[in-house]
Amino acid sequence: MQGGYSNERGSIYQFTTGQALMSRLVTLSPQEAAELQQQFGLTAAEEACPPDDPEASLAYSPSASITAAALLKLESCLLYLDELAARLGTDSRPIAASMLAKRYAALSAVPFFYALTCYDRALELPLEAVQLRVGKGAGVPWLEGLLVSGELFATSPAGRMREPWRLEAAERYLRLHLTPLWQALSRYSGLPELILWENAAVRIYSLYEKRLPAGNKAATARIAEDLHFLLKELPAEPFGQRRQPLAFFYGTEGNTETAPKSKSPQSRVRKTCCLYHCVSAKADYCTACPKVARPANSRQLAAEAGEVRQSKTDTASQICKRDDA
């Protein structure tokens, strides 16, 4: 028989009656919260995010506060993408959606899996409680970080139940956070979901192949175990895809034995183009771009992404980053 409990955000945690509780709700330690803020711009806000108001949705834009949940709505999402596109020097919604996904994955997916591996914490990030923090001033990213209303909660494994907890935590984050957001961005912009998923995937690979090994924040064995889990054990269903994106884009369907190693990060070529070159002042391509490595694919990828070459601006290059993973 199934049971559960909920926190004040309405999150439900399932467990089996008569067995040990798989996870428990906790708050991050001050040190953990400070590290997430310093490294990833993930901050707990004392004041709650403003409630979604359909009549106020047209006020949402990259120059104003917006909750992640508001991006699930057609009008507010399109307005946000259109203003972001203008800031990037283009009128293409697919390009804007790709650049937004690249930055958002770095601010949400990367700290989520960082906390999971380093702290044994699965961050609670309901879309309605997450606010996109706009950067202000010269040299500041247009999307500086994420604000989470109230305290930053997480779940942790109870007893020795880490493996089932890890699976439940990763699936929950995908189903309730990243997957619906990517589906909305794809539906409203026309950009294929596969591009959004590879934008997120390359940042997750970089976390486990570069950042964590270099930072000494987690044991080498734990890093390898969690990467193997993401590539080989996490199913495709929570992604809303037929093929599991993290395994597919990693190469050889997630086989870490034959896929490119972190010692040669530029050897893994992307399967899709993120469209960075469309907003780069010098029309730079990412080192891992398939258009550079496999020119014959460029026409197919351009059509697939609905790409439209637009004017390049120095501002665009300052607020976007290449994918060289």
Side-chain angles (χ1 to χ4, degrees):
M1 183 174 68
Q2 294 288 315
Y5 65 95
S6 63
N7 66 5
E8 58 273 30
R9 290 178 180 157
S11 303
I12 305 297
Y13 301 90
Q14 297 293 331
F15 60 91
T16 302
T17 304
Q19 297 182 3
L21 189 66
M22 188 169 65
S23 63
R24 55 195 176 91
L25 191 65
V26 298
T27 56
L28 297 182
S29 71
Q31 180 179 356
E32 291 167 347
E35 186 173 24
L36 292 178
Q37 179 176 359
Q38 180 180 8
Q39 292 201 35
F40 306 106
L42 185 62
T43 308
E46 293 183 1
E47 296 182 2
C49 296
D52 284 338
D53 181 355
E55 295 184 359
S57 63
L58 294 180
Y60 291 139
S61 70
S63 59
S65 297
I66 182 173
T67 63
L71 294 174
L72 303 182
K73 300 177 180 179
L74 176 62
E75 287 185 316
S76 52
C77 183
L78 291 184
L79 185 65
Y80 193 89
L81 290 177
D82 286 346
E83 185 173 326
L84 175 56
R87 191 170 179 179
L88 294 171
T90 178
D91 61 4
S92 170
R93 287 171 179 167
I95 294 173
S98 184
M99 298 304 105
L100 173 59
K102 283 156 65 81
R103 182 63 181 154
Y104 192 89
L107 298 175
S108 174
V110 173
F112 178 87
F113 289 109
Y114 181 92
L116 184 141
T117 296
C118 295
Y119 310 148
D120 267 351
R121 300 284 188 267
L123 301 176
E124 272 288 284
L125 299 173
L127 288 172
E128 65 275 7
V130 173
Q131 184 174 336
L132 282 65
R133 183 155 53 90
V134 178
K136 298 180 180 180
V140 178
W142 59 273
L143 183 53
E144 189 174 10
L146 300 179
L147 286 174
V148 182
S149 62
E151 290 186 85
L152 193 54
F153 287 98
T155 65
S156 66
R160 298 182 179 181
M161 304 289 289
R162 186 176 193 271
E163 290 186 6
W165 162 82
R166 180 181 61 188
L167 175 61
E168 188 275 341
E171 289 186 339
R172 179 181 177 78
Y173 169 73
L174 292 168
R175 284 196 183 99
L176 301 184
H177 191 104
L178 208 55
T179 295
L181 190 56
W182 271 200
Q183 289 173 339
L185 286 177
S186 175
R187 182 166 57 252
Y188 300 148
S189 71
L191 185 73
E193 280 187 55
L194 278 181
I195 296 179
L196 300 174
W197 282 119
E198 190 164 24
N199 287 350
V202 295
R203 278 145 187 80
I204 295 172
Y205 303 154
S206 181
L207 171 67
Y208 283 96
E209 294 180 334
K210 300 177 186 178
R211 190 169 197 151
L212 289 177
N216 297 317
K217 291 293 184 179
T220 301
R222 171 62 62 81
I223 296 172
E225 289 169 4
D226 284 356
L227 178 58
H228 180 271
F229 158 75
L230 292 173
L231 299 178
K232 302 295 287 185
E233 300 177 24
L234 188 58
E237 186 272 333
F239 295 88
Q241 300 289 309
R242 290 184 296 105
R243 291 183 294 195
Q244 207 268 46
L246 299 183
F248 174 67
F249 291 120
Y250 196 81
T252 63
E253 291 301 319
N255 189 339
T256 57
E257 296 298 322
T258 57
K261 303 298 181 182
S262 59
K263 291 182 179 179
S264 182
Q266 295 181 0
S267 61
R268 182 186 295 115
V269 178
R270 285 186 57 131
K271 289 181 169 64
T272 67
C273 176
C274 72
L275 309 180
Y276 169 80
H277 67 281
C278 295
V279 293
S280 167
K282 299 180 181 179
D284 290 336
Y285 288 82
C286 305
T287 304
C289 183
K291 294 184 177 181
V292 175
R294 296 190 293 271
N297 288 349
S298 60
R299 180 177 297 179
Q300 175 185 349
L301 288 167
E304 189 176 275
E307 174 190 339
V308 178
R309 294 280 309 227
Q310 300 294 339
S311 62
K312 316 296 189 297
T313 67
D314 290 330
T315 302
S317 295
Q318 292 171 1
I319 63 178
C320 299
K321 290 187 178 181
R322 304 193 323 176
D323 279 347
D324 290 334

